[in-house]
Amino acid sequence: GKGGTTLIDLFHKCSTVRILGVADIKVDASGMKLAEELGIPTDSDYKKFLDKEGLNKVINVTGSEKVKEELLSLKPPNVELIGGDGTKLMWSLIEERKRAEEALQKAYAQNEQLIASIPSIIIGIDGNNRITQWNMAAERTFGIAATDVIRQPFQECGVTWDQGKILNGILECRNKGRQKRVDDVPFKHPDGKEGFLGITISLLSGDNNSGVLILGADITERKILQSQLIQAQKLESIGQLAAGVAHEINNPVAFINSNLRTLDEYRRDLTELIDSYLHLEELAAGNPALSDDRDVAATLEAIRTLKERIDLGFILEDFDKIISESREGTERVKKIVQDLKDFSHVDQAELKYTDLNKGLDSTLNIVWNEIKYKATVTKDYGDIPEVYCYPQQVNQVFMNILVNAAQAIEDKGEIGISTRSLDGDKPMVEVRISDTGKGIPPENLRKIFDPFFTTKPVGKGTGLGLNVSYNIVKKHQGEINVESEVGKGTTFIITLPVEGPKEA
């Protein structure tokens, strides 16, 4: 029955016990069936097993006094009989062990559930660098199932990451016997996008084989936010600096412009006076009484010589042109300063209706130094409505794309800018910025808006410009797309809703 089945199962698993036989008058009892399945001899008559070689214990689980007396009279002297209280004790020990095993299994299941629910990556490694633990967070982050890596060498886990950095951390943790922190470990997500991990490596307590536990977190988003915050702080500082510089430039430009106006008035007065002297010269030259006078004649000759030497006619003609061009130059400086103030003003970070055509012109003025030696700019502005947006943020998108366009042109090329209205259920404005640069390879097209992705040399780009632009356009509930062909150029298409984002 139940007791016999439990004893057979227990002893069969024990390497120090050999069951010589199982007897029961009921040949179809559960214990008898289990013994037959395990290849243990069975019989309905227990007496047939009493002369078995190696027999040293007989366990009576019948509880029958008659069977107990028979066994005492028939068993060999060196064979111990366990029955009655001994069987009850053994049964209670078995029950206690079963309860302990069940509690252990329950605790193990709870522990596994707890580990699985932890959002951090958990990877256990034994002293031979084989993986012993790989939780659900690791499965999600790396796209690799635990069943594929458990008991496999850690170096062959299949994750695309800076493995050398982690292995060095494990080695240092084991050598120094203390926790090791490894930050900014680059890795690839299952979709191929680049990311970063923050990892802590600890020795497993009670593990004599130098097993370690790796706790990790995907810090890509945090790193992006930190980088964007730094970028925003830089832009804000530059904006404040630019606004201050613009204010300082405005002061000297204002008095230069004022002086030029005054100088122009003086020029008119002096020209009028010179014209009178020239008329007097003509009158004196035609009057014999004056022209025969030695002093007057000498003075007239000196005037004629000076006129020829300084080319008075050219001076009077060029005087007007110089002042006109100087005033035009100061107006251009004022316009650039105003664009700089508009572009960088930190107190205008609010939603309002703005003319994107003017925003493009203003941004062009700011980045003109990046463009003028590389490309000619053609503009095809449409009759578009004002768009409800954050003007400085939208101008930043234009700036990033225009600078990228200039940098994509290796020698001399062209940048085209066009705007138009798009009709539909939701009126939109489309801005296209194209260049005749080297283009973007197809394998990079899907990654250009990813944070930290850049094809520029080290120190030339952070890989955040287009990511910031993408986030700004998405914040405005618009779209930004790109079309490119290697060797022919690239076009960025930005569409923004006229009425702006639904929520500020």
Side-chain angles (χ1 to χ4, degrees), residues 132-263:
T132 59
Q133 186 70 45
W134 188 275
N135 73 339
M136 288 178 65
E139 290 185 341
R140 287 193 303 269
T141 304
F142 304 126
I144 300 172
T147 52
D148 294 335
V149 292
I150 295 296
R151 291 184 293 278
Q152 296 299 315
F154 176 66
Q155 294 91 326
E156 300 173 12
C157 63
V159 179
T160 304
W161 55 6
D162 189 345
Q163 194 170 85
K165 201 171 184 180
I166 301 171
L167 290 174
N168 287 338
I170 293 173
L171 185 63
E172 189 174 337
C173 174
R174 284 171 172 161
N175 289 343
K176 296 184 177 180
R178 63 169 181 261
Q179 192 177 81
K180 173 65 180 174
R181 177 77 187 175
V182 184
D183 286 316
D184 298 340
V185 178
F187 81 106
K188 278 191 178 180
H189 288 93
D191 59 5
K193 290 185 177 181
E194 302 286 341
F196 290 90
L197 296 173
I199 284 175
T200 302
I201 305 168
S202 307
L203 283 174
L204 284 172
S205 58
D207 191 323
N208 297 324
N209 294 320
S210 301
V212 297
L213 188 68
I214 296 176
L215 293 179
D218 186 345
I219 60 171
T220 308
E221 187 174 346
R222 187 181 75 192
K223 193 168 176 65
I224 292 169
L225 291 173
Q226 286 175 342
S227 299
Q228 289 182 346
L229 178 60
I230 292 169
Q231 190 85 343
Q233 288 170 340
K234 284 181 180 177
L235 287 171
E236 184 177 349
S237 299
I238 291 169
Q240 291 171 338
L241 177 64
V245 169
H247 178 72
E248 291 302 315
I249 291 174
N250 260 344
N251 290 333
V253 167
F255 67 68
I256 289 171
N257 205 30
S258 175
N259 288 347
L260 283 170
R261 281 197 299 269
T262 304
L263 185 60

Side-chain angles (χ1 to χ4, degrees), residues 3 16 82 102 139 208 213 272 291 312 365 368 440 502:
T16 59
I82 300 175
E102 288 171 359
E139 290 185 341
N208 297 324
L213 188 68
E272 187 177 348
S291 60
L312 182 60
N365 266 339
W368 185 242
I440 303 169
K502 292 178 182 177

Side-chain angles (χ1 to χ4, degrees), residues 336 339-341 343 361-369 399:
I336 292 170
D339 287 338
L340 190 60
K341 288 174 69 177
F343 187 86
D361 281 338
S362 174
T363 307
L364 270 172
N365 266 339
I366 300 303
V367 300
W368 185 242
N369 195 56
M399 181 185 73

Side-chain angles (χ1 to χ4, degrees), residues 22-176:
V22 177
D24 199 303
I25 56 173
K26 295 179 180 178
V27 294
D28 60 346
S30 59
M32 294 285 277
K33 289 181 179 179
L34 176 60
E36 289 171 0
E37 290 173 7
L38 298 175
I40 299 170
T42 61
D43 202 294
S44 59
D45 184 2
Y46 69 85
K47 300 181 185 69
K48 291 183 180 180
F49 295 113
L50 295 179
D51 59 352
K52 282 277 187 180
E53 185 180 351
L55 178 68
N56 57 23
K57 284 184 179 61
V58 174
I59 301 174
N60 176 22
V61 292
T62 65
S64 167
E65 286 295 323
K66 182 181 176 183
V67 173
K68 176 183 175 183
E69 290 174 2
E70 284 183 356
L71 281 169
L72 286 172
S73 62
L74 296 175
K75 73 176 182 65
N78 61 332
V79 173
E80 180 185 358
L81 176 63
I82 300 175
D85 293 338
T87 304
K88 290 178 182 178
L89 175 62
M90 186 174 291
W91 177 252
S92 67
L93 289 173
I94 291 169
E95 287 293 311
E96 184 65 30
R97 175 173 172 170
K98 283 178 66 179
R99 284 193 295 271
E101 284 179 347
E102 288 171 359
L104 186 63
Q105 288 174 353
K106 185 177 179 181
Y108 179 78
Q110 289 175 341
N111 184 51
E112 287 294 304
Q113 186 178 3
L114 178 64
I115 291 173
S117 64
I118 292 174
S120 298
I121 297 163
I122 298 178
I123 301 173
I125 303 174
D126 63 19
N128 297 317
N129 273 1
R130 290 189 175 273
I131 297 170
T132 59
Q133 186 70 45
W134 188 275
N135 73 339
M136 288 178 65
E139 290 185 341
R140 287 193 303 269
T141 304
F142 304 126
I144 300 172
T147 52
D148 294 335
V149 292
I150 295 296
R151 291 184 293 278
Q152 296 299 315
F154 176 66
Q155 294 91 326
E156 300 173 12
C157 63
V159 179
T160 304
W161 55 6
D162 189 345
Q163 194 170 85
K165 201 171 184 180
I166 301 171
L167 290 174
N168 287 338
I170 293 173
L171 185 63
E172 189 174 337
C173 174
R174 284 171 172 161
N175 289 343
K176 296 184 177 180

